Amino acid sequence: QLQLVESGGGLVQPGGSLRLSCAASGFTLDYYAIGWFRQAPGKEREGVSCISTSGASTNYTDSVKGRFTISRDNAKNTVYLQMYSLKPEDTAVYYCAAEFMGCGSSWYEGPRYDYWGQGTQVTVSS
C-alpha cells in the first residue's frame, strides 16, 4: 500500500520552531518531487514548498521564504520541512504530497500531485 505519513506537528509559541517529516511506505520517494501544503480553517489549501527528486531545486511560497527550509533524505525515504520563526498565521494542517514529474513552475497546484498524506496539525499560539 502506497502511503505518506506526516509527523512532527504540535503546539508552539510564536517565534518557535518545528520540523515536520513526511515518510513514505510502499514506494520509494527517489522518483518523486515532494510538496508541502497547508490548510487553515476556512481557507483554501495553499502550496508551501516543493523539493525536486534530487533535492537540488526547491520552491517556497513568499510568506515562508527565509523561515522554512525543505530537505530530503532519500536513503531514509523521508522529506522534511524545518520551520523557524513561526507565526500565528502559520497555523494549519500541513500535508505532504508526491508528484512523479517534478515540482515545475506550477508546483503549488495540488491536483498535480499523485499521493497525499493525512496531515499533521501545526498550531502557533501563545
Side-chain angles (χ1 to χ4, degrees), residues 26-120:
F27 69 110
T28 177
L29 289 181
D30 291 18
Y31 306 110
Y32 290 84
I34 302 299
W36 282 98
F37 292 77
R38 65 186 180 186
Q39 188 165 22
K43 294 189 176 181
E44 292 188 356
R45 183 176 60 194
E46 174 189 26
V48 175
S49 184
C50 186
I51 188 167
S52 63
T53 54
S54 68
S57 176
T58 58
N59 305 86
Y60 298 93
T61 192
D62 286 347
S63 63
V64 308
K65 285 180 180 176
R67 299 190 299 120
F68 290 11
T69 301
I70 192 170
S71 63
R72 65 191 299 155
D73 185 340
N74 285 350
K76 294 183 178 179
N77 223 22
T78 301
V79 172
Y80 305 97
L81 185 68
Q82 178 69 56
M83 305 185 295
Y84 298 102
S85 302
L86 283 161
K87 304 175 180 180
E89 51 263 43
D90 295 318
T91 296
V93 178
Y94 282 71
Y95 302 88
C96 65
E99 208 283 305
F100 187 70
M101 295 302 293
C103 293
S105 59
S106 57
W107 63 268
Y108 49 87
E109 295 179 355
R112 297 182 64 230
Y113 290 77
D114 303 301
Y115 304 107
W116 289 80
Q118 82 292 344
T120 185

